[in-house]
Amino acid sequence: MKNLPLYFLRSPPSLRLPVSAANSFLAHLSYFITLSLIGYGSLKLTKTRTSAAPNDLNIFFTSVSAATVSSMSVVKMEVFSNFQLLIITTLMFLGGEVFLSAVSFQLAHHNQQTNHDIPHTVEFENESATVDELTISKSSFKVLGRIIIGYLLATNIGGACMIIIYLIMVPHARHVLEIKGINFITFSIFSTVSTFTNCGFIPTNENMIVFKKNSGLLIILAAEVLLGGCLYPVGLRLVIMAAAKVTGKKGWRYILKNDSAMGYSHLLSGVRCWFLAATAVGFIILQFIIFCSLEWNNSDGIWDGMNPYEKVVGSFFQVINSRHTGESVVDISLISPAILVVFLVMMYLPPYTTFLPLRTKEKASIADGNDKRQHLVKYLTFSQLSYLAIFITLICITERDKLKNDPLNFSVLNIAVEVISAYGNVGFSTGYSCKRQVVADSTCRDAWYGFAGRWSAKGKLILILVMFFGRLKSFSRHGGKAWKLS
Protein backbone atom coordinates (compact mmCIF):
# COMPACT_ATOMS: atom_id res chain seq x y z
CA MET A 1 0.00 0.00 0.00
CA LYS A 2 1.30 3.41 -0.94
CA ASN A 3 2.65 5.49 1.96
CA LEU A 4 1.38 9.00 2.57
CA PRO A 5 3.69 12.03 2.76
CA LEU A 6 4.83 13.50 6.06
CA TYR A 7 2.97 16.81 5.71
CA PHE A 8 -0.30 14.87 5.62
CA LEU A 9 0.43 13.39 9.04
CA ARG A 10 1.41 16.44 11.01
CA SER A 11 -1.09 18.65 12.81
CA PRO A 12 -1.20 20.93 15.89
CA PRO A 13 0.27 19.43 19.08
CA SER A 14 -3.08 19.06 20.81
CA LEU A 15 -6.73 18.77 20.02
CA ARG A 16 -8.23 22.11 20.99
CA LEU A 17 -11.08 24.42 20.20
CA PRO A 18 -10.00 26.86 17.47
CA VAL A 19 -9.88 29.87 19.76
CA SER A 20 -7.15 31.78 21.51
CA ALA A 21 -6.50 31.47 25.24
CA ALA A 22 -8.37 34.75 25.86
CA ASN A 23 -11.40 33.61 23.88
CA SER A 24 -11.33 30.25 25.63
CA PHE A 25 -11.35 32.00 29.00
CA LEU A 26 -14.27 34.20 27.96
CA ALA A 27 -16.15 31.18 26.64
CA HIS A 28 -15.73 29.32 29.94
CA LEU A 29 -16.59 32.39 32.00
CA SER A 30 -19.72 33.03 29.91
CA TYR A 31 -20.73 29.40 30.34
CA PHE A 32 -20.50 29.47 34.14
CA ILE A 33 -22.21 32.87 34.42
CA THR A 34 -25.04 31.73 32.13
CA LEU A 35 -25.39 28.44 33.99
CA SER A 36 -25.47 30.29 37.31
CA LEU A 37 -28.14 32.73 36.07
CA ILE A 38 -30.29 29.90 34.73
CA GLY A 39 -29.91 28.11 38.05
CA TYR A 40 -30.83 31.27 39.93
CA GLY A 41 -33.95 31.77 37.81
CA SER A 42 -34.99 28.14 38.23
CA LEU A 43 -34.52 28.19 42.02
CA LYS A 44 -36.26 31.56 42.28
CA LEU A 45 -39.34 30.44 40.33
CA THR A 46 -39.80 27.20 42.25
CA LYS A 47 -41.10 26.82 45.78
CA THR A 48 -38.96 26.00 48.78
CA ARG A 49 -39.91 23.48 51.47
CA THR A 50 -40.24 26.19 54.09
CA SER A 51 -42.14 29.46 54.05
CA ALA A 52 -38.95 31.42 54.80
CA ALA A 53 -37.34 31.37 51.36
CA PRO A 54 -33.73 32.60 50.94
CA ASN A 55 -33.27 36.12 49.59
CA ASP A 56 -32.16 36.77 46.02
CA LEU A 57 -28.45 37.13 46.85
CA ASN A 58 -28.38 33.86 48.79
CA ILE A 59 -30.22 32.03 45.97
CA PHE A 60 -27.73 33.37 43.42
CA PHE A 61 -24.84 32.49 45.74
CA THR A 62 -26.13 28.91 46.00
CA SER A 63 -26.56 28.69 42.22
CA VAL A 64 -22.99 29.91 41.61
CA SER A 65 -21.71 27.52 44.26
CA ALA A 66 -23.40 24.57 42.54
CA ALA A 67 -22.42 25.60 38.99
CA THR A 68 -18.76 26.09 39.98
CA VAL A 69 -18.88 22.89 42.11
CA SER A 70 -17.74 24.87 45.16
CA SER A 71 -20.44 23.84 47.70
CA MET A 72 -20.03 27.05 49.70
CA SER A 73 -23.20 27.46 51.77
CA VAL A 74 -25.06 30.49 53.04
CA VAL A 75 -28.43 28.78 53.69
CA LYS A 76 -29.60 25.45 55.09
CA MET A 77 -29.86 22.77 52.42
CA GLU A 78 -33.11 21.43 53.87
CA VAL A 79 -34.78 24.69 52.83
CA PHE A 80 -34.85 23.44 49.24
CA SER A 81 -37.67 21.26 47.94
CA ASN A 82 -37.19 17.94 46.18
CA PHE A 83 -37.53 19.62 42.76
CA GLN A 84 -35.04 22.32 43.71
CA LEU A 85 -32.56 19.65 44.82
CA LEU A 86 -32.84 18.15 41.33
CA ILE A 87 -32.15 21.59 39.83
CA ILE A 88 -29.01 21.90 41.97
CA THR A 89 -28.02 18.36 40.91
CA THR A 90 -28.27 19.42 37.27
CA LEU A 91 -26.15 22.52 37.92
CA MET A 92 -23.45 20.42 39.58
CA PHE A 93 -23.43 17.85 36.78
CA LEU A 94 -23.21 20.50 34.04
CA GLY A 95 -20.50 22.37 35.93
CA GLY A 96 -18.40 19.29 36.65
CA GLU A 97 -14.94 19.04 35.13
CA VAL A 98 -15.43 15.59 33.60
CA PHE A 99 -18.64 16.64 31.81
CA LEU A 100 -17.12 19.89 30.53
CA SER A 101 -13.95 18.17 29.36
CA ALA A 102 -16.03 15.56 27.53
CA VAL A 103 -18.05 18.26 25.76
CA SER A 104 -14.89 20.23 24.86
CA PHE A 105 -13.25 17.10 23.49
CA GLN A 106 -16.26 16.24 21.34
CA LEU A 107 -16.55 19.81 20.01
CA ALA A 108 -12.85 19.91 19.18
CA HIS A 109 -13.04 16.59 17.36
CA HIS A 110 -16.15 17.72 15.47
CA ASN A 111 -14.39 20.93 14.44
CA GLN A 112 -11.41 18.96 13.12
CA GLN A 113 -13.74 16.82 11.02
CA THR A 114 -15.66 19.85 9.78
CA ASN A 115 -12.42 21.49 8.63
CA HIS A 116 -11.35 18.19 7.05
CA ASP A 117 -8.32 18.01 9.33
CA ILE A 118 -6.99 14.66 10.38
CA PRO A 119 -6.65 14.73 14.18
CA HIS A 120 -3.32 12.99 14.23
CA THR A 121 -0.18 14.12 15.98
CA VAL A 122 2.07 11.11 15.96
CA GLU A 123 5.11 11.35 13.73
CA PHE A 124 6.19 7.92 12.58
CA GLU A 125 9.83 7.01 12.53
CA ASN A 126 9.96 6.63 8.74
CA GLU A 127 7.96 9.87 8.36
CA SER A 128 5.18 8.02 6.60
CA ALA A 129 2.22 5.87 7.49
CA THR A 130 -0.20 3.47 5.85
CA VAL A 131 -3.86 4.25 5.35
CA ASP A 132 -4.63 1.54 7.92
CA GLU A 133 -2.60 3.35 10.56
CA LEU A 134 -4.35 6.62 9.77
CA THR A 135 -7.74 4.94 10.02
CA ILE A 136 -6.89 3.57 13.46
CA SER A 137 -5.67 6.97 14.67
CA LYS A 138 -8.80 8.69 13.38
CA SER A 139 -11.20 6.17 14.93
CA SER A 140 -9.36 6.31 18.25
CA PHE A 141 -10.71 9.80 18.88
CA LYS A 142 -14.27 8.52 18.61
CA VAL A 143 -13.39 5.63 20.90
CA LEU A 144 -11.88 7.96 23.51
CA GLY A 145 -14.93 10.21 23.38
CA ARG A 146 -17.18 7.23 24.08
CA ILE A 147 -14.92 6.06 26.90
CA ILE A 148 -15.15 9.44 28.65
CA ILE A 149 -18.95 9.52 28.37
CA GLY A 150 -19.16 5.88 29.48
CA TYR A 151 -16.91 6.53 32.48
CA LEU A 152 -18.99 9.57 33.46
CA LEU A 153 -22.30 7.70 33.26
CA ALA A 154 -21.05 4.46 34.81
CA THR A 155 -19.53 6.09 37.88
CA ASN A 156 -22.58 8.28 38.52
CA ILE A 157 -25.25 5.66 37.84
CA GLY A 158 -23.26 2.96 39.63
CA GLY A 159 -22.65 5.18 42.63
CA ALA A 160 -26.30 6.21 42.90
CA CYS A 161 -27.43 2.57 42.68
CA MET A 162 -24.99 1.51 45.41
CA ILE A 163 -26.24 4.27 47.72
CA ILE A 164 -29.88 3.30 47.04
CA ILE A 165 -29.08 -0.33 47.86
CA TYR A 166 -27.23 0.75 51.01
CA LEU A 167 -30.15 2.88 52.19
CA ILE A 168 -32.57 0.01 51.58
CA MET A 169 -30.37 -2.43 53.51
CA VAL A 170 -29.54 -0.04 56.38
CA PRO A 171 -32.82 1.23 57.92
CA HIS A 172 -30.99 3.62 60.29
CA ALA A 173 -29.57 5.69 57.43
CA ARG A 174 -32.89 5.71 55.58
CA HIS A 175 -34.71 6.67 58.77
CA VAL A 176 -32.59 9.81 59.07
CA LEU A 177 -33.79 10.91 55.64
CA GLU A 178 -37.41 10.04 56.46
CA ILE A 179 -37.31 12.22 59.57
CA LYS A 180 -35.94 15.10 57.52
CA GLY A 181 -38.48 14.55 54.73
CA ILE A 182 -35.82 13.91 52.07
CA ASN A 183 -36.58 11.41 49.31
CA PHE A 184 -33.90 8.72 49.56
CA ILE A 185 -33.66 8.31 45.77
CA THR A 186 -33.16 12.05 45.32
CA PHE A 187 -30.58 11.94 48.10
CA SER A 188 -28.72 9.10 46.34
CA ILE A 189 -28.62 10.86 42.96
CA PHE A 190 -27.81 14.27 44.46
CA SER A 191 -25.03 12.95 46.70
CA THR A 192 -23.44 10.87 43.93
CA VAL A 193 -23.35 13.70 41.40
CA SER A 194 -22.18 16.18 44.04
CA THR A 195 -19.40 13.85 45.22
CA PHE A 196 -18.23 12.76 41.76
CA THR A 197 -18.06 16.36 40.52
CA ASN A 198 -16.16 17.19 43.72
CA CYS A 199 -18.80 19.74 44.68
CA GLY A 200 -19.59 18.55 48.19
CA PHE A 201 -23.21 19.62 48.65
CA ILE A 202 -25.34 17.17 50.66
CA PRO A 203 -29.14 17.60 51.03
CA THR A 204 -28.93 17.55 54.85
CA ASN A 205 -28.15 20.62 56.94
CA GLU A 206 -25.40 18.72 58.74
CA ASN A 207 -23.69 17.53 55.56
CA MET A 208 -22.34 14.01 56.33
CA ILE A 209 -22.12 14.47 60.12
CA VAL A 210 -25.51 12.86 60.50
CA PHE A 211 -24.15 9.78 58.68
CA LYS A 212 -20.76 9.61 60.40
CA LYS A 213 -21.51 6.13 61.80
CA ASN A 214 -22.58 4.78 58.41
CA SER A 215 -19.14 3.61 57.34
CA GLY A 216 -20.45 1.80 54.24
CA LEU A 217 -21.98 4.99 52.89
CA LEU A 218 -18.77 6.91 53.60
CA ILE A 219 -16.70 4.32 51.71
CA ILE A 220 -18.99 4.55 48.65
CA LEU A 221 -18.75 8.34 48.60
CA ALA A 222 -14.98 8.28 49.22
CA ALA A 223 -14.57 6.15 46.08
CA GLU A 224 -16.65 8.68 44.11
CA VAL A 225 -14.46 11.51 45.41
CA LEU A 226 -11.32 9.87 44.05
CA LEU A 227 -12.79 8.57 40.77
CA GLY A 228 -14.14 11.99 39.85
CA GLY A 229 -11.30 14.03 41.34
CA CYS A 230 -7.56 13.71 41.68
CA LEU A 231 -7.53 10.06 40.51
CA TYR A 232 -9.77 10.56 37.47
CA PRO A 233 -6.83 10.23 35.01
CA VAL A 234 -5.77 7.03 36.78
CA GLY A 235 -9.27 5.57 36.63
CA LEU A 236 -9.67 6.55 32.99
CA ARG A 237 -6.36 4.94 32.00
CA LEU A 238 -7.17 1.75 33.92
CA VAL A 239 -10.49 1.48 32.07
CA ILE A 240 -8.72 1.87 28.72
CA MET A 241 -6.06 -0.67 29.71
CA ALA A 242 -8.73 -3.18 30.74
CA ALA A 243 -10.66 -2.66 27.50
CA ALA A 244 -7.48 -3.03 25.42
CA LYS A 245 -6.63 -6.30 27.15
CA VAL A 246 -10.15 -7.74 26.86
CA THR A 247 -10.91 -6.69 23.28
CA GLY A 248 -7.39 -6.78 21.83
CA LYS A 249 -8.33 -3.98 19.42
CA LYS A 250 -5.58 -1.78 18.04
CA GLY A 251 -7.52 1.43 18.66
CA TRP A 252 -7.42 0.98 22.43
CA ARG A 253 -3.67 0.30 22.42
CA TYR A 254 -3.18 3.29 20.14
CA ILE A 255 -4.81 5.58 22.75
CA LEU A 256 -2.51 4.25 25.48
CA LYS A 257 0.64 4.64 23.40
CA ASN A 258 -0.25 8.12 22.11
CA ASP A 259 -1.88 9.70 25.15
CA SER A 260 -0.43 13.16 24.54
CA ALA A 261 -1.45 13.03 20.89
CA MET A 262 -5.10 12.53 21.77
CA GLY A 263 -5.39 16.13 22.95
CA TYR A 264 -7.37 15.28 26.10
CA SER A 265 -5.72 16.98 29.05
CA HIS A 266 -6.99 14.42 31.56
CA LEU A 267 -5.47 11.51 29.66
CA LEU A 268 -2.04 11.29 31.25
CA SER A 269 0.85 8.99 30.48
CA GLY A 270 1.29 5.76 32.39
CA VAL A 271 4.28 7.12 34.32
CA ARG A 272 2.45 10.33 35.25
CA CYS A 273 -0.57 8.31 36.40
CA TRP A 274 1.55 6.16 38.69
CA PHE A 275 3.22 9.20 40.22
CA LEU A 276 -0.16 10.97 40.49
CA ALA A 277 -1.65 7.99 42.34
CA ALA A 278 1.39 7.74 44.63
CA THR A 279 1.23 11.48 45.38
CA ALA A 280 -2.52 11.42 46.10
CA VAL A 281 -2.19 8.38 48.38
CA GLY A 282 0.82 9.98 50.08
CA PHE A 283 -1.16 13.14 50.83
CA ILE A 284 -4.04 11.08 52.22
CA ILE A 285 -1.80 9.00 54.47
CA LEU A 286 0.09 12.08 55.70
CA GLN A 287 -3.15 13.89 56.54
CA PHE A 288 -4.61 10.76 58.15
CA ILE A 289 -1.63 10.39 60.47
CA ILE A 290 -1.71 14.06 61.48
CA PHE A 291 -5.50 14.10 61.82
CA CYS A 292 -5.63 10.97 63.99
CA SER A 293 -2.66 12.10 66.10
CA LEU A 294 -4.37 15.38 67.00
CA GLU A 295 -8.07 14.51 66.87
CA TRP A 296 -8.44 10.85 67.92
CA ASN A 297 -9.31 11.90 71.50
CA ASN A 298 -10.89 15.24 70.61
CA SER A 299 -12.22 16.88 73.79
CA ASP A 300 -15.13 18.54 71.98
CA GLY A 301 -16.77 15.21 71.26
CA ILE A 302 -16.59 15.04 67.47
CA TRP A 303 -16.30 11.22 67.75
CA ASP A 304 -18.92 10.69 70.47
CA GLY A 305 -20.52 7.24 70.33
CA MET A 306 -18.21 5.94 67.59
CA ASN A 307 -16.10 2.78 67.79
CA PRO A 308 -12.47 2.66 66.55
CA TYR A 309 -13.45 1.27 63.11
CA GLU A 310 -15.98 4.07 62.57
CA LYS A 311 -13.41 6.63 63.68
CA VAL A 312 -10.83 5.27 61.22
CA VAL A 313 -13.29 5.35 58.30
CA GLY A 314 -14.52 8.80 59.35
CA SER A 315 -10.97 10.13 59.54
CA PHE A 316 -10.11 8.75 56.10
CA PHE A 317 -13.30 10.24 54.68
CA GLN A 318 -12.49 13.62 56.20
CA VAL A 319 -8.94 13.84 54.84
CA ILE A 320 -9.91 12.49 51.39
CA ASN A 321 -12.43 15.34 51.13
CA SER A 322 -9.87 17.99 52.05
CA ARG A 323 -8.46 18.22 48.53
CA HIS A 324 -11.50 19.35 46.53
CA THR A 325 -14.84 17.91 47.65
CA GLY A 326 -15.42 19.37 51.10
CA GLU A 327 -17.90 16.87 52.53
CA SER A 328 -17.46 16.54 56.26
CA VAL A 329 -18.24 14.13 59.10
CA VAL A 330 -17.00 16.52 61.79
CA ASP A 331 -17.55 20.15 62.66
CA ILE A 332 -14.50 21.84 61.12
CA SER A 333 -14.59 24.59 63.74
CA LEU A 334 -13.90 22.04 66.51
CA ILE A 335 -10.69 20.59 65.10
CA SER A 336 -7.15 21.75 65.82
CA PRO A 337 -5.85 24.92 64.10
CA ALA A 338 -2.86 22.84 62.97
CA ILE A 339 -5.25 20.60 61.01
CA LEU A 340 -6.90 23.68 59.50
CA VAL A 341 -3.50 24.83 58.22
CA VAL A 342 -2.90 21.40 56.65
CA PHE A 343 -6.34 21.57 55.04
CA LEU A 344 -5.54 25.06 53.72
CA VAL A 345 -2.50 23.68 51.91
CA MET A 346 -4.47 20.71 50.53
CA MET A 347 -7.30 22.96 49.30
CA TYR A 348 -4.83 25.24 47.56
CA LEU A 349 -3.06 22.48 45.63
CA PRO A 350 -4.32 21.76 42.09
CA PRO A 351 -6.04 18.35 41.67
CA TYR A 352 -3.24 16.81 39.60
CA THR A 353 -0.37 17.91 41.83
CA THR A 354 2.28 15.27 41.29
CA PHE A 355 5.69 14.47 42.71
CA LEU A 356 7.42 13.70 39.41
CA PRO A 357 11.23 13.55 39.75
CA LEU A 358 11.71 13.27 36.01
CA ARG A 359 12.91 15.84 33.53
CA THR A 360 10.48 16.88 30.84
CA LYS A 361 11.28 18.52 27.55
CA GLU A 362 9.95 22.02 27.18
CA LYS A 363 9.79 24.14 24.05
CA ALA A 364 10.85 27.69 24.66
CA SER A 365 10.22 29.00 21.16
CA ILE A 366 7.76 31.80 20.46
CA ALA A 367 6.36 31.33 16.99
CA ASP A 368 4.34 34.43 16.23
CA GLY A 369 2.94 37.67 17.59
CA ASN A 370 -0.05 35.97 19.17
CA ASP A 371 2.23 33.67 21.16
CA LYS A 372 4.27 36.68 22.24
CA ARG A 373 1.17 38.40 23.57
CA GLN A 374 0.15 35.29 25.49
CA HIS A 375 3.70 35.03 26.82
CA LEU A 376 3.52 38.65 28.03
CA VAL A 377 0.14 38.15 29.70
CA LYS A 378 1.51 35.21 31.72
CA TYR A 379 4.28 37.40 33.06
CA LEU A 380 2.07 40.40 33.87
CA THR A 381 -0.58 38.46 35.80
CA PHE A 382 -0.21 37.89 39.52
CA SER A 383 0.41 34.54 41.13
CA GLN A 384 -2.45 32.53 42.66
CA LEU A 385 -1.30 33.38 46.20
CA SER A 386 -1.30 37.08 45.34
CA TYR A 387 -4.93 36.94 44.25
CA LEU A 388 -5.91 35.03 47.37
CA ALA A 389 -4.17 37.60 49.56
CA ILE A 390 -6.09 40.36 47.76
CA PHE A 391 -9.43 38.58 48.23
CA ILE A 392 -8.78 37.90 51.92
CA THR A 393 -7.78 41.54 52.43
CA LEU A 394 -10.92 42.81 50.70
CA ILE A 395 -13.16 40.61 52.84
CA CYS A 396 -11.34 41.70 55.98
CA ILE A 397 -12.21 45.26 54.91
CA THR A 398 -15.89 44.53 54.24
CA GLU A 399 -16.19 42.61 57.53
CA ARG A 400 -13.96 44.88 59.60
CA ASP A 401 -16.67 45.74 62.15
CA LYS A 402 -17.38 42.05 62.81
CA LEU A 403 -13.66 41.33 63.04
CA LYS A 404 -13.56 43.91 65.81
CA ASN A 405 -16.78 43.02 67.66
CA ASP A 406 -16.85 39.23 67.12
CA PRO A 407 -13.14 38.29 66.88
CA LEU A 408 -13.47 34.59 67.77
CA ASN A 409 -15.83 33.84 64.90
CA PHE A 410 -14.53 36.47 62.50
CA SER A 411 -10.84 35.61 62.78
CA VAL A 412 -8.46 36.02 59.88
CA LEU A 413 -7.83 32.24 59.93
CA ASN A 414 -11.55 31.47 59.56
CA ILE A 415 -11.85 33.98 56.72
CA ALA A 416 -8.78 32.48 55.04
CA VAL A 417 -10.29 28.99 55.31
CA GLU A 418 -13.50 30.22 53.66
CA VAL A 419 -11.69 32.06 50.84
CA ILE A 420 -9.21 29.28 50.02
CA SER A 421 -12.01 26.74 50.25
CA ALA A 422 -13.99 28.76 47.69
CA TYR A 423 -10.89 29.16 45.51
CA GLY A 424 -10.19 25.43 45.60
CA ASN A 425 -13.92 24.75 44.98
CA VAL A 426 -13.86 22.61 48.11
CA GLY A 427 -16.63 23.79 50.43
CA PHE A 428 -15.06 23.41 53.87
CA SER A 429 -16.33 25.99 56.33
CA THR A 430 -15.69 26.71 60.01
CA GLY A 431 -19.28 27.88 60.37
CA TYR A 432 -20.55 30.26 63.01
CA SER A 433 -20.81 29.42 66.71
CA CYS A 434 -22.86 31.46 69.17
CA LYS A 435 -20.64 30.17 72.01
CA ARG A 436 -17.69 32.07 70.54
CA GLN A 437 -19.45 35.44 70.68
CA VAL A 438 -17.75 37.98 72.92
CA VAL A 439 -21.08 39.74 73.48
CA ALA A 440 -23.78 37.09 73.78
CA ASP A 441 -26.87 37.45 71.60
CA SER A 442 -29.97 35.57 72.77
CA THR A 443 -31.36 35.43 69.22
CA CYS A 444 -28.20 33.86 67.82
CA ARG A 445 -28.41 30.50 66.06
CA ASP A 446 -25.42 28.28 65.27
CA ALA A 447 -24.67 27.87 61.56
CA TRP A 448 -21.68 25.58 61.18
CA TYR A 449 -22.66 24.74 57.58
CA GLY A 450 -21.68 28.13 56.17
CA PHE A 451 -19.60 30.86 57.79
CA ALA A 452 -20.16 33.07 54.73
CA GLY A 453 -23.86 33.14 55.59
CA ARG A 454 -23.02 35.64 58.36
CA TRP A 455 -21.05 37.92 56.05
CA SER A 456 -22.31 41.18 54.60
CA ALA A 457 -23.68 41.36 51.05
CA LYS A 458 -20.37 42.82 49.86
CA GLY A 459 -18.43 39.95 51.43
CA LYS A 460 -20.70 37.40 49.76
CA LEU A 461 -20.29 39.08 46.37
CA ILE A 462 -16.50 38.93 46.74
CA LEU A 463 -16.73 35.23 47.62
CA ILE A 464 -18.84 34.69 44.47
CA LEU A 465 -15.96 36.20 42.48
CA VAL A 466 -13.57 33.87 44.29
CA MET A 467 -15.65 30.83 43.29
CA PHE A 468 -15.62 31.90 39.63
CA PHE A 469 -11.90 32.62 39.84
CA GLY A 470 -11.23 29.25 41.47
CA ARG A 471 -13.22 27.38 38.82
CA LEU A 472 -11.21 29.13 36.09
CA LYS A 473 -7.85 29.15 37.88
CA SER A 474 -6.23 27.04 35.16
CA PHE A 475 -6.13 30.18 32.98
CA SER A 476 -4.02 32.11 35.50
CA ARG A 477 -2.03 29.29 37.10
CA HIS A 478 1.24 30.33 35.40
CA GLY A 479 1.02 33.98 36.40
CA GLY A 480 3.50 35.86 38.55
CA LYS A 481 6.60 34.74 36.65
CA ALA A 482 7.93 38.29 36.37
CA TRP A 483 8.50 38.40 40.14
CA LYS A 484 11.87 37.15 41.27
CA LEU A 485 12.22 36.39 44.98
CA SER A 486 15.84 36.39 46.02
Side-chain angles (χ1 to χ4, degrees):
M1 185 177 291
K2 186 176 180 180
N3 289 341
L4 298 175
L6 176 62
Y7 69 83
F8 192 64
L9 300 176
R10 291 179 177 171
S11 60
S14 64
L15 192 61
R16 299 173 183 170
L17 288 173
V19 291
S20 66
N23 288 340
S24 180
F25 169 78
L26 291 176
H28 280 77
L29 179 61
S30 300
Y31 175 83
F32 285 114
I33 291 176
T34 303
L35 186 61
S36 300
L37 290 173
I38 293 174
Y40 163 76
S42 301
L43 293 173
K44 179 68 177 176
L45 295 175
T46 50
K47 293 183 178 180
T48 58
R49 289 178 60 188
T50 61
S51 57
N55 61 37
D56 288 348
L57 177 58
N58 287 343
I59 291 176
F60 181 65
F61 187 101
T62 302
S63 179
V64 172
S65 188
T68 59
V69 293
S70 300
S71 74
M72 303 301 296
S73 300
V74 289
V75 297
K76 295 180 178 179
M77 290 302 296
E78 291 175 31
V79 167
F80 298 108
S81 64
N82 188 72
F83 186 68
Q84 288 178 318
L85 289 178
L86 294 177
I87 292 173
I88 295 174
T89 302
T90 304
L91 292 175
M92 293 186 295
F93 184 82
L94 296 179
E97 179 60 29
V98 178
F99 173 79
L100 280 177
S101 67
V103 172
S104 298
F105 183 82
Q106 295 288 357
L107 289 175
H109 183 219
H110 175 73
N111 181 75
Q112 292 262 353
Q113 290 182 321
T114 302
N115 294 332
H116 305 291
D117 292 332
I118 294 180
H120 191 285
T121 61
V122 176
E123 297 179 16
F124 295 92
E125 292 181 1
N126 59 356
E127 298 192 344
S128 62
T130 65
V131 172
D132 181 58
E133 290 171 327
L134 290 173
T135 302
I136 293 173
S137 67
K138 189 173 182 179
S139 64
S140 64
F141 287 89
K142 294 182 179 179
V143 172
L144 180 57
R146 292 168 185 166
I147 295 170
I148 299 168
I149 297 298
Y151 184 98
L152 175 64
L153 296 177
T155 48
N156 279 275
I157 295 174
C161 289
M162 284 192 289
I163 293 177
I164 290 173
I165 294 172
Y166 180 87
L167 293 175
I168 292 174
M169 295 180 63
V170 183
H172 170 265
R174 189 173 70 253
H175 184 60
V176 171
L177 298 176
E178 291 173 352
I179 293 175
K180 292 177 172 293
I182 300 173
N183 183 288
F184 79 96
I185 294 179
T186 300
F187 173 85
S188 302
I189 297 172
F190 184 104
S191 300
T192 301
V193 173
S194 176
T195 306
F196 179 82
T197 58
N198 280 195
C199 182
F201 271 145
I202 296 293
T204 61
N205 291 338
E206 305 89 352
N207 202 272
M208 290 302 296
I209 291 179
V210 72
F211 297 109
K212 64 182 181 181
K213 293 185 179 181
N214 298 111
S215 300
L217 179 60
L218 298 183
I219 291 172
I220 293 172
L221 291 178
E224 290 288 323
V225 170
L226 297 175
L227 291 174
C230 58
L231 293 186
Y232 168 56
V234 179
L236 182 64
R237 191 170 186 89
L238 288 175
V239 169
I240 299 173
M241 289 173 63
K245 190 170 184 178
V246 172
T247 63
K249 292 183 178 180
K250 295 180 179 179
W252 299 91
R253 293 197 298 270
Y254 176 89
I255 294 173
L256 293 172
K257 292 180 180 179
N258 303 283
D259 47 83
S260 60
M262 301 306 297
Y264 184 59
S265 61
H266 299 287
L267 181 63
L268 306 182
S269 66
V271 173
R272 176 77 188 278
C273 282
W274 282 115
F275 278 106
L276 174 62
T279 304
V281 171
F283 281 147
I284 291 172
I285 293 175
L286 176 63
Q287 290 182 88
F288 178 77
I289 294 172
I290 297 174
F291 189 85
C292 288
S293 299
L294 297 177
E295 304 299 330
W296 188 263
N297 296 311
N298 184 282
S299 59
D300 291 310
I302 62 175
W303 302 122
D304 282 352
M306 298 177 65
N307 60 43
Y309 171 72
E310 292 169 341
K311 290 168 71 173
V312 168
V313 174
S315 298
F316 264 117
F317 182 83
Q318 192 65 46
V319 300
I320 286 173
N321 276 271
S322 69
R323 289 292 299 276
H324 296 285
T325 309
E327 292 171 13
S328 184
V329 293
V330 299
D331 185 344
I332 298 297
S333 67
L334 298 180
I335 63 177
S336 168
I339 299 294
L340 284 181
V341 174
V342 174
F343 284 172
L344 283 175
V345 175
M346 293 297 123
M347 291 188 293
Y348 175 76
L349 294 175
Y352 299 159
T353 297
T354 311
F355 174 71
L356 188 62
L358 300 174
R359 293 185 178 182
T360 57
K361 296 180 180 179
E362 297 181 356
K363 294 183 179 180
S365 60
I366 301 177
D368 51 31
N370 186 51
D371 288 336
K372 290 180 179 178
R373 285 192 294 272
Q374 293 181 12
H375 189 72
L376 180 61
V377 168
K378 287 182 180 179
Y379 276 86
L380 291 180
T381 53
F382 292 132
S383 66
Q384 302 290 311
L385 285 174
S386 299
Y387 288 116
L388 290 176
I390 292 171
F391 285 129
I392 292 172
T393 301
L394 289 175
I395 292 174
C396 285
I397 292 172
T398 63
E399 312 304 316
R400 57 186 179 277
D401 290 337
K402 295 175 182 177
L403 279 163
K404 181 179 179 181
N405 299 324
D406 193 6
L408 298 182
N409 279 302
F410 281 83
S411 65
V412 176
L413 177 60
N414 288 350
I415 290 176
V417 169
E418 204 82 1
V419 171
I420 296 177
S421 180
Y423 160 81
N425 306 124
V426 179
F428 273 161
S429 177
T430 56
Y432 186 91
S433 174
C434 300
K435 295 179 181 179
R436 292 196 294 265
Q437 289 183 328
V438 175
V439 179
D441 181 2
S442 59
T443 63
C444 177
R445 293 292 181 272
D446 290 337
W448 78 266
Y449 58 86
F451 177 41
R454 298 302 176 96
W455 294 6
S456 65
K458 293 179 181 178
K460 291 177 182 177
L461 287 172
I462 293 173
L463 201 62
I464 287 174
L465 293 177
V466 176
M467 287 189 285
F468 279 124
F469 175 71
R471 190 63 181 85
L472 300 169
K473 56 181 168 283
S474 60
F475 292 96
S476 60
R477 186 168 293 156
H478 301 292
K481 291 184 176 180
W483 296 93
K484 200 170 187 67
L485 304 179
S486 60

